[in-house]
Amino acid sequence: MIQQWTYLVVAAGAILLAFLLWQEYRRADKRRLLARLLATAVAVASLVALGIHRQKATPPSPGNKSDTGRLKPAPGFVSAYWEKTLPYLAPLQVKGRYHNTTGTTIRLYLTYAGLRLDSQAIPARQDTTVALQTQPPFLGTGVLQLLAVRGGDTVVYPVPVEVMPEKRIAVLFIAGSPGFENRFLADWLAARGMPVAMRSRIAGTQYATRFNNMDPLPLHTVTPQLLEKFDVVLADPGALTATEKSCLLAAIRNNDKGLAYLADSAHTLPAGSGVEVLLKDSTGKPAVTITRQGMGRQLQLGNSNTFAWKLMGDTTQYGRYWATVLSAAAGNAGTMRSIQWSPDFATTHDAVNLSLKNTGNLPDSFLVAGTVRLPLAQDALADDHYTANWWPADSGWHTLRWGTETFHAYVFGPGEWAELRPAAPADMPQTSRQQGEERLVWYWILPLLAACIFLWIEKKL
Amino acid sequence: MVKRGYDILTAWRKRWIILRIAAIVIQAMAVALTGCALWGKPGALAGIAYLLVFLVNFLRRLPDKSEMATWLNQQFPELEDSAGLFLKDSAELNLLESLQVQKISARLALLNPPLSFYKPVWNSLVMWLLAGGLSYIIYSRETIARPEKATVKPQAEKPIPGVKRTTITVTPPAYTGKHVRSQHNFNLLVEDSAEVQWRIDAKTPARSVSLLFSDSTVLRLQPSADSASWTGAKHILHPGFYQVQLDTLLSGYYQLQVIPDHPPLVKVSSPQPNTSIDFGRPPLVRIQASLTDDYAIKNARIAATIASGSGEGVKFREAQFNFDQSLAGRPAAITATKSLNLASLGMKPGDEIYLHIAVTDSRNQQTLSDVFIVTLPDTAALFSMDGMATALNIKPEYFRSQRQIIIETEALIRDKDSLGVAKFNSRSNELGTDQKLLRLRYGKFLGEESETYGSDSHEAGHDHDDHGDDHGHEPPDKTAFGDAQQIMDQFAHKHDNAEDATFFDPEIKKQLKATLTEMWKAELQLRLYKPQEALPYEYKALRLLKDLQQKSRAFVAKTGTKTTPLKPEKRLSGEQDKINPAIMKQAFDYNDPDAAIRAALSLLDNHRGAPPADANAAALMRSALGKLTTAAAREPGKYLGAMEALHRITQGTAAAGDYTTARQGLFHLLAPRSLPQPGVRPHGKLEEAYFKNLKKAGSR
């Protein structure tokens, strides 16, 4: 909208200038023609500059939120957020608020390579929440596009996402008796390369065991050493002794692990504070609940017949259900490093603050962005936390090398997501910035006045 | 003198006209530019329209020379208002005029056209500037807000250098009944098993011309005597794509799409899957089916199997029938009908006929319809008392009554000749009354209004509408004096009693209602003295009642078994030393089938304008290209464009739209998948410290 306004002002100025110049030129009295033409040009140019600067001088607002108290509201995002780094095959969720100030419906489309993947209509004159979702098709870095379409007008918002490579979740099954549910799930996981171990009680002290994609381990007793090797434990509540239960709970409380209890007639889904509903069934009743336990999570499943879906041939639903449940149970297990950057909508020729978290070993003391070395500053209190300042010159995805590790950061072009970006660097004190902008605006009054005064006096002479 | 002046004046006029025409042309071009910016190429038509309108308008009213003279007089005072004299014949001039001509013709020759003379040109140049600025704004705005095009237009085929002319003759197979056609495009859309003949005329004699197909077969074309014209033919059995090789020159890829021939389609609208023809109804089955095929239906038959007898003595007979309609014309779609008389097929009550329709199309592909069963129920079985003794009886006497009515109706029909008409009619009417009473008794179960309901003052069967006027005049019954309920009953109209309405579940009620309808119909026929026609309804009512009796039996569904977890303290507590539990160990060689495609998509997203540099990326691209090629051979219409685009990208000769096309093609290759994956944000020391402090605070 700012660009449209600029074009509009420039076009109107050009027409006005042409008209005025023509009038000056045609005047019978040809004295001081050049000076008059010059003065006219200066007057119109300052007028146009005034118009443009007025529009740009919006008060800044922090972070990824735009300011709502604008002089002339244009349709656009008031806020927007999405996870810029996603696990493999995880859904991308773009959320935010869109303020439609126009009198027509605006449609938002989440697209990839021109293919529409999700859409939402924003009714006229409404400020609505936006929630768009899709599974990014790429592995690595890529850019989806969010289109805001009003009639024939389209505004493009790039949505950069990095999809991390596939990881394995190690799952331990503790079953009270051999059953279809565990068997089908273990088969499904094993076929996808996940390490799976299963212990099913077949007699008082005897267990049938199964190991897929991993070396056999003694499973007769549940020990902290054993649990270290797994990210998620799926257990029949009745199959655990009291000591095993406390051992399991201690393990998930002190580690980023998940414990999922299979459905059991004796255990109903818990409710109350601290219990989140992860999945609901078709009637809206909770089907899977999740409870925080220290650093880990405890899940209670409400359904132990999911193998029936697979028997019915509904493998997609089966896969989605277990992907959701096991991803939630696994948490952030096995992840060592991550990168974040601020501001959210980093632009070229602007400071970008990179923040690295590294729980593994330290590869190097600086980051390399292209040919530029960015020295890393270690945080004084959290020594696994590093920051670096970066002034990117190009937009798009950038590769940052840290020794043998690589990270990716996205830099937006100057016109992209403009409404969610502060007009000036956020760290500049607010008062001085406002004064500066006002001076800039009033500056152009002077040549305008001077030119007009000259033209007026010239006529009187 | 006059001549010279006249010439100058004419020259001025000519220049003026040329200037004006030039101005109109320039303006038209400006309009065309704006039009192009707004609507693309068709916008240029606006400029042409502008040109035509203004040019015709201008040419229609060309200024004549006297106007020119007037204009000159107005513009140049030095001509002393005498320019008009040049237009006169020199002989006609008087002395004064000729003197004036001499005086001003010298001045005329020296005159320069004023700036306003060029005004139309200036104006149109300003118009040009405006149009240029406007189109620039439109264009630059469009480039900013120009998303990637969703639809990829089918690209026009590039001609192969060295090929003068191509003629492809497609001979559709006989089953399609289509004529031979020819085309000049290489992209092919042909019927399954069609024969395609290529004829390629080269500009210069070639050494060899061959067609390379996606299934790696090569068709070498045969040259004519001067090796300028090459021909070859091939049967197309499956889709794919192909290239033309002219000596060593390879063309682009061309689609080879195949229109499959689907087996015929049968949609039977009559009879129903299970039909039973009640006793007394004409034993006719009307078969109606709509048969459709892509090209032609060759043959359609009804295959019937008749089962007669019961128990172990069932005998089967097979028969085949043709439809009434002739299929000699090989129609692509037809509504076929046939009426079968079961009696003429020798079917007796209790027999069943199983029907299906077999349709063959012109390619000898056969479709069989579902099987339809038509039953002639055995009325004798209805009278049997089997199962009555053990079943839950709803109201046995009612069944007997219905049965009784049937027996009496049959007796009446038998005795029709021996009875007189009057007797016959009165007995038929009596039967109707019996049927009515039976119906009313069942109606009570449904909560229907009983016609004998209410006090004595009500006549059975009277009309509802006369309640209002009658009741006011009736003298109140003395014995009932003070009985408020009775007085209310007189005025109240008791339709359904809540208690009656809750006897049965809705399903049983529905069937009871259907039974009552049949009884109504039977009663109607009996009252019309047509017992013969009443019989089917009576039978149907009886059958429905019998079903009702079966339904009221309780049904307990079989439930699935689920093993409960073993309780080791109670069971399996014996010696377990000899138990050797199984250890299952298995490793799966897992490879994500889509990983290469997804990684290639990421590469295409980021490496714009240059082919991937490093070896790893190039290998990924090759792998993605291989997958696209396989897909293109399967569905050339969908994937061939993307395959060519990716091919150009790997060669480094990609056009602007190729990246989008390639990404779209690869995107469509992806199958929906989901996989459990851990999150991407590690727990750091900050979180650990927070957690520890939280625990400390909790324990304190």
Side-chain angles (χ1 to χ4, degrees):
Chain A
M1 193 60 208
I2 282 177
Q3 276 168 341
Q4 284 172 9
W5 170 254
T6 309
Y7 289 128
L8 220 68
V9 169
V10 170
I15 292 168
L16 182 68
L17 181 66
F19 175 71
L20 288 178
L21 286 179
W22 182 241
Q23 288 293 321
E24 288 294 343
Y25 176 76
R26 273 191 49 192
R27 204 175 75 169
D29 185 0
K30 296 281 179 197
R31 282 178 299 165
R32 291 179 289 276
L33 179 63
L34 198 66
R36 277 191 286 123
L37 292 182
L38 212 65
T40 313
V42 168
V44 174
S46 357
L47 198 65
V48 168
L50 269 174
I52 291 173
H53 279 282
R54 162 72 56 81
Q55 189 59 27
K56 270 191 183 167
T58 47
S61 60
N64 60 350
K65 291 211 170 157
S66 83
D67 184 66
T68 44
R70 193 178 275 186
L71 290 174
K72 191 178 175 235
F77 278 95
V78 183
S79 65
Y81 182 76
W82 66 93
E83 286 290 342
K84 302 203 173 43
T85 316
L86 287 174
Y88 188 56
L89 296 179
L92 162 74
Q93 288 170 329
V94 180
K95 299 202 167 169
R97 284 189 80 80
Y98 193 91
H99 192 190
N100 184 0
T101 52
T102 64
T104 50
T105 305
I106 293 183
R107 290 190 169 275
L108 298 179
Y109 295 101
L110 190 58
T111 67
Y112 181 75
L115 303 165
R116 287 173 179 178
L117 306 175
D118 198 2
S119 70
Q120 188 177 346
I122 311 289
R125 289 191 187 69
Q126 278 206 14
D127 189 356
T128 354
T129 46
V130 174
L132 296 166
Q133 182 173 327
T134 189
Q135 194 185 57
F138 42 79
L139 169 61
T141 57
V143 184
L144 291 104
Q145 287 176 312
L146 183 58
L147 310 183
V149 180
R150 174 164 62 103
D153 250 10
T154 307
V155 185
V156 183
Y157 299 94
V159 180
V161 178
E162 181 184 10
V163 178
M164 301 307 274
E166 191 186 332
K167 282 185 190 154
R168 304 282 150 91
I169 294 179
V171 184
L172 171 65
F173 290 84
I174 300 174
S177 62
F180 284 130
E181 181 77 347
N182 285 333
R183 172 74 193 261
F184 271 69
L185 182 58
D187 285 350
W188 185 79
L189 286 171
R192 276 151 189 76
M194 309 277 179
V196 170
M198 190 192 283
R199 182 187 98 171
S200 320
R201 188 194 290 271
I202 51 165
T205 54
Q206 299 288 344
Y207 301 99
T209 50
R210 123 174 214 174
F211 300 93
N212 288 115
N213 307 321
M214 65 184 295
D215 292 326
L217 296 163
L219 294 179
H220 282 251
T221 48
V222 174
T223 57
Q225 292 76 31
L226 175 73
L227 292 176
E228 249 173 44
K229 295 191 171 63
F230 296 95
D231 304 315
V232 176
V233 179
L234 269 163
D236 274 345
L240 293 166
T241 60
T243 45
E244 281 177 337
K245 230 176 220 177
S246 61
C247 176
L248 253 177
L249 272 178
I252 62 163
R253 282 200 176 121
N254 295 310
N255 291 290
D256 193 356
K257 281 187 198 304
L259 164 65
Y261 278 132
L262 291 169
D264 188 342
S265 51
H267 288 70
T268 49
L269 289 177
S273 67
V275 179
E276 270 178 74
V277 176
L278 180 67
L279 285 174
K280 283 180 182 169
D281 63 12
S282 54
T283 57
K285 277 185 279 183
V288 179
T289 59
I290 183 165
T291 321
R292 289 226 143 259
Q293 293 280 2
M295 288 180 82
R297 292 145 300 275
Q298 183 185 325
L299 282 81
Q300 178 64 52
L301 310 181
N303 186 353
S304 61
N305 271 329
T306 58
F307 69 91
W309 302 342
K310 215 175 172 197
L311 284 177
M312 281 191 289
D314 198 351
T315 43
T316 320
Q317 170 149 339
Y318 186 81
R320 279 217 195 138
Y321 174 83
W322 282 110
T324 313
V325 169
L326 292 179
S327 299
N332 292 300
T335 311
M336 308 291 269
R337 296 179 182 89
S338 72
I339 189 169
Q340 273 180 307
W341 61 88
S342 69
D344 263 12
F345 297 101
T347 33
T348 50
H349 306 299
D350 217 341
V352 179
N353 186 23
L354 299 171
S355 143
L356 280 174
K357 199 189 265 180
N358 177 40
T359 54
N361 55 334
L362 183 69
D364 212 337
S365 61
F366 54 84
L367 276 177
V368 181
T371 54
V372 187
R373 280 169 153 224
L374 307 171
L376 284 170
Q378 191 170 22
D379 195 276
L381 295 173
D383 61 359
D384 59 344
H385 193 236
Y386 301 86
T387 50
N389 270 316
W390 181 38
W391 291 78
D394 305 315
S395 59
W397 277 107
H398 290 261
T399 306
L400 305 167
R401 277 176 223 293
W402 189 19
T404 52
E405 298 291 321
T406 48
F407 298 99
H408 294 98
Y410 189 83
V411 177
F412 289 88
E416 295 162 350
W417 292 97
E419 63 254 43
L420 295 186
R421 226 181 274 142
D427 51 358
M428 196 192 277
Q430 198 158 349
T431 46
S432 72
R433 185 172 57 248
Q434 271 185 348
Q435 273 169 7
E437 268 168 10
E438 269 168 28
R439 202 167 65 230
L440 200 65
V441 169
W442 288 110
Y443 222 68
W444 286 101
I445 288 285
L446 298 178
L448 177 66
L449 274 178
C452 287
I453 288 166
F454 168 75
L455 286 172
W456 179 66
I457 289 174
E458 194 270 345
K459 216 172 177 180
K460 304 278 164 193
L461 288 176
Chain B
M1 275 302 151
V2 175
K3 176 82 177 70
R4 197 171 140 220
Y6 180 79
D7 286 346
I8 294 175
L9 200 140
T10 321
W12 272 68
R13 177 171 172 267
K14 221 178 249 170
R15 270 165 77 188
W16 193 79
I17 290 171
I18 289 170
L19 273 176
R20 285 301 296 264
I21 291 176
I24 290 172
V25 170
I26 294 172
Q27 287 166 9
M29 279 161 71
V31 170
L33 179 74
T34 320
C36 280
L38 278 174
W39 304 296
K41 277 195 184 131
L45 287 176
I48 292 168
Y50 184 94
L51 183 72
L52 284 178
V53 167
F54 282 84
L55 207 58
V56 166
N57 189 38
F58 173 70
L59 291 177
R60 264 182 56 217
R61 290 184 295 149
L62 277 182
D64 56 15
K65 290 176 184 100
S66 59
E67 272 181 77
M68 198 65 210
T70 318
W71 181 79
L72 279 174
N73 287 337
Q74 284 169 357
Q75 285 293 318
F76 302 104
E78 50 269 54
L79 290 183
E80 293 173 0
D81 230 355
S82 310
L85 294 178
F86 295 123
L87 300 176
K88 284 192 176 172
D89 198 353
S90 59
E92 285 175 20
L93 296 175
N94 56 27
L95 180 67
L96 204 62
E97 283 173 340
S98 53
L99 279 174
Q100 182 70 3
V101 164
Q102 273 183 12
K103 183 181 165 194
I104 61 165
S105 60
R107 290 183 192 169
L108 181 63
L110 293 175
L111 284 180
N112 276 326
L115 273 177
S116 61
F117 188 75
Y118 300 104
K119 193 173 153 188
V121 179
W122 295 131
N123 281 350
S124 15
L125 284 181
V126 168
M127 201 164 151
W128 244 102
L129 277 179
L130 286 181
L134 203 64
S135 340
Y136 174 74
I137 290 170
I138 295 169
Y139 185 75
S140 55
R141 271 193 24 76
E142 273 190 3
T143 43
I144 286 169
R146 189 174 287 162
E148 290 164 294
K149 287 262 161 61
T151 50
V152 181
K153 278 185 212 153
Q155 287 169 342
E157 268 178 33
K158 266 190 266 172
I160 309 169
V163 170
K164 192 164 71 186
R165 188 182 162 77
T166 320
T167 312
I168 299 176
T169 313
V170 180
T171 314
Y175 69 83
T176 60
K178 286 187 182 173
H179 298 293
V180 176
R181 61 179 189 271
S182 65
Q183 60 177 64
H184 299 295
N185 280 348
F186 277 109
N187 283 336
L188 285 170
L189 177 63
V190 299
E191 294 78 9
D192 195 358
S193 317
E195 183 177 311
V196 179
Q197 190 187 24
W198 286 266
R199 183 195 157 91
I200 294 173
D201 295 330
K203 279 180 188 150
T204 51
R207 275 195 308 280
S208 77
V209 179
S210 38
L211 304 178
L212 315 179
F213 291 90
S214 56
D215 55 358
S216 66
T217 54
V218 178
L219 175 67
R220 292 194 185 284
L221 301 190
Q222 297 304 313
S224 61
D226 56 351
S227 8
S229 174
W230 297 74
T231 50
K234 184 178 163 79
H235 270 286
I236 305 300
L237 297 173
H238 46 80
F241 52 89
Y242 70 102
Q243 282 178 296
V244 180
Q245 191 178 28
L246 191 74
D247 288 340
T248 53
L249 186 78
L250 263 180
S251 74
Y253 297 96
Y254 300 113
Q255 292 177 13
L256 193 59
Q257 279 179 281
V258 167
I259 310 168
D261 179 23
H262 298 289
L265 215 68
V266 187
K267 206 173 151 193
V268 180
S269 44
S270 151
Q272 297 299 309
N274 270 307
T275 313
S276 79
I277 299 174
D278 285 311
F279 183 81
R281 299 246 169 202
L284 282 175
V285 182
R286 186 178 157 72
I287 299 164
Q288 184 174 0
S290 78
L291 320 172
T292 46
D293 185 57
D294 303 332
Y295 300 106
I297 296 166
K298 194 166 111 188
N299 193 6
R301 296 175 75 77
I302 304 162
T305 308
I306 301 159
S308 46
S310 66
E312 290 177 7
V314 181
K315 275 184 265 169
F316 294 98
R317 275 186 294 139
E318 302 232 333
Q320 290 219 335
F321 311 97
N322 281 323
F323 280 107
D324 293 340
Q325 286 78 10
S326 159
L327 294 168
R330 297 208 165 184
I334 190 172
T335 307
T337 53
K338 172 83 183 171
S339 284
L340 284 183
N341 191 340
L342 301 185
S344 70
L345 292 174
M347 282 178 69
K348 299 178 293 296
D351 290 2
E352 288 182 336
I353 182 166
Y354 313 111
L355 300 161
H356 72 256
I357 299 167
V359 186
T360 317
D361 73 357
S362 50
R363 210 187 176 192
N364 286 330
Q365 299 182 111
Q366 198 180 49
T367 304
L368 301 181
S369 74
D370 290 341
V371 174
F372 299 84
I373 303 171
V374 181
T375 319
L376 289 179
D378 189 0
T379 46
L382 284 177
F383 286 87
S384 82
M385 296 294 285
D386 289 350
M388 285 281 186
T390 51
L392 180 73
N393 237 338
I394 292 185
K395 291 282 176 189
E397 70 270 26
Y398 296 159
F399 297 144
R400 271 181 230 115
S401 295
Q402 184 64 41
R403 204 163 21 247
Q404 197 61 44
I405 289 170
I406 291 172
I407 292 166
E408 281 177 17
T409 310
E410 281 175 343
L412 181 65
I413 294 164
R414 237 184 357 258
D415 299 345
K416 187 181 175 181
D417 296 339
S418 55
L419 296 167
V421 176
K423 191 99 186 270
F424 177 79
N425 286 357
S426 87
R427 269 183 67 181
S428 183
N429 195 28
E430 277 165 24
L431 274 175
T433 313
D434 285 351
Q435 183 72 75
K436 173 192 165 188
L437 289 173
L438 187 65
R439 176 173 56 77
L440 289 179
R441 269 192 277 177
Y442 273 104
K444 257 194 241 168
F445 288 107
L446 274 177
E448 278 187 357
E449 179 187 6
S450 162
E451 291 179 30
T452 50
Y453 212 99
S455 66
D456 294 339
S457 60
H458 284 253
E459 290 292 321
H462 79 135
D463 205 327
H464 300 168
D465 296 334
D466 36 47
H467 278 252
D469 6 275
D470 290 355
H471 295 303
H473 308 294
E474 281 173 12
D477 195 342
K478 277 174 193 162
T479 54
F481 185 78
D483 186 352
Q485 188 58 46
Q486 198 177 354
I487 294 170
M488 272 166 71
D489 281 352
Q490 281 181 6
F491 296 94
H493 191 74
K494 289 194 173 172
H495 276 274
D496 31 27
N497 192 323
E499 259 181 70
D500 288 343
T502 53
F503 278 166
F504 301 110
D505 67 41
E507 196 54 39
I508 289 185
K509 269 190 180 174
K510 209 169 127 192
Q511 194 157 359
L512 252 178
K513 256 182 201 157
T515 316
L516 292 191
T517 315
E518 296 305 321
M519 289 183 179
W520 258 113
K521 287 177 185 164
E523 185 193 338
L524 173 74
Q525 299 301 333
L526 286 170
R527 298 253 197 219
L528 290 170
Y529 316 131
K530 293 175 184 165
Q532 180 67 51
E533 265 135 73
L535 257 186
Y537 299 113
E538 289 172 1
Y539 269 111
K540 192 158 186 200
L542 179 60
R543 186 158 57 79
L544 287 170
L545 283 173
K546 203 141 187 188
D547 283 351
L548 209 59
Q549 172 202 23
Q550 299 293 327
K551 252 190 200 157
S552 62
R553 287 178 180 169
F555 172 74
V556 182
K558 232 183 182 180
T559 47
T561 52
K562 200 169 167 191
T563 54
T564 48
L566 304 175
K567 283 186 178 160
E569 63 272 17
K570 288 193 176 164
R571 301 182 59 199
L572 301 169
S573 50
E575 278 183 29
Q576 298 169 358
D577 313 335
K578 301 261 168 64
I579 298 175
N580 203 4
I583 297 175
M584 195 174 131
K585 188 171 171 292
Q586 204 176 1
F588 287 84
D589 191 17
Y590 170 70
N591 263 319
D592 186 352
D594 292 343
I597 297 175
R598 287 176 189 273
L601 275 173
S602 172
L603 279 178
L604 289 176
D605 251 12
N606 293 304
H607 286 265
R608 299 213 158 234
D614 63 301
N616 193 11
L620 269 176
M621 288 301 225
R622 268 201 305 281
S623 148
L625 184 60
K627 289 204 163 135
L628 261 184
T629 310
T630 320
R634 203 174 60 236
E635 286 174 84
K638 195 172 172 187
Y639 293 112
L640 190 62
M643 188 201 98
E644 282 184 286
L646 192 61
H647 188 72
R648 279 197 292 275
I649 290 167
T650 49
Q651 301 289 313
T653 55
D658 281 350
Y659 281 88
T660 306
T661 316
R663 283 192 295 160
Q664 285 179 355
L666 288 174
F667 181 89
H668 289 304
L669 278 182
L670 295 174
R673 288 182 76 232
S674 39
L675 205 62
Q677 287 288 301
V680 292
R681 302 238 174 282
H683 277 277
K685 296 226 169 127
L686 189 65
E687 287 87 351
E688 260 169 49
Y690 179 75
F691 175 64
K692 271 178 197 155
N693 282 312
L694 205 65
K695 270 214 295 198
K696 249 187 254 166
S699 59
R700 203 183 294 146

